[in-house]
Amino acid sequence: MALIPKVAPRHEKRVVSARLDEEAHTMLQRYAAFLGGATHEYIIGESLKRLFRRDKEFNEWLEKNRRGSTSTSDVPQATSPTPKNTTRTAPTAA
């Protein structure tokens, strides 16, 4: 048995800002306390994952609208042009 547990790979996180009405915010705080001090980030993230898994219509829509990518976003990603070779060599003295 390892002395140090394996760490699950972390996913890249993106910032989302949202304003909640007072009732939703209060319930979020209470749910965090109910879970033993869970963060709002954790509760919102896990709630969204559960919603996405369980919404049959959304999953049907997702299957129809797959663009051949593994991205979880339905927002088209901007494609950047292929970067040019930017390697420069220092001038040599003759």
Side-chain angles (χ1 to χ4, degrees), residues 21-94:
D21 62 45
E22 190 172 339
E23 180 184 2
H25 185 263
T26 299
M27 294 303 286
L28 178 60
Q29 289 178 308
R30 289 179 178 171
Y31 200 74
F34 168 72
L35 293 179
T39 64
H40 294 172
E41 177 182 310
Y42 173 79
I43 295 168
I44 293 168
E46 292 302 311
S47 298
L48 287 172
K49 289 176 193 175
R50 183 179 176 111
L51 172 71
F52 300 150
R53 279 193 312 267
R54 297 191 71 173
D55 189 323
K56 291 178 184 178
E57 282 186 72
F58 173 66
N59 283 294
E60 289 170 6
W61 178 88
L62 204 58
E63 285 300 317
K64 290 179 195 172
N65 291 283
R66 291 234 186 253
R67 294 190 183 112
S69 79
T70 57
S71 174
T72 57
S73 173
D74 65 328
V75 178
Q77 300 295 315
T79 56
S80 55
T82 306
K84 295 178 182 176
N85 184 354
T86 57
T87 305
R88 297 183 185 194
T89 57
T92 56

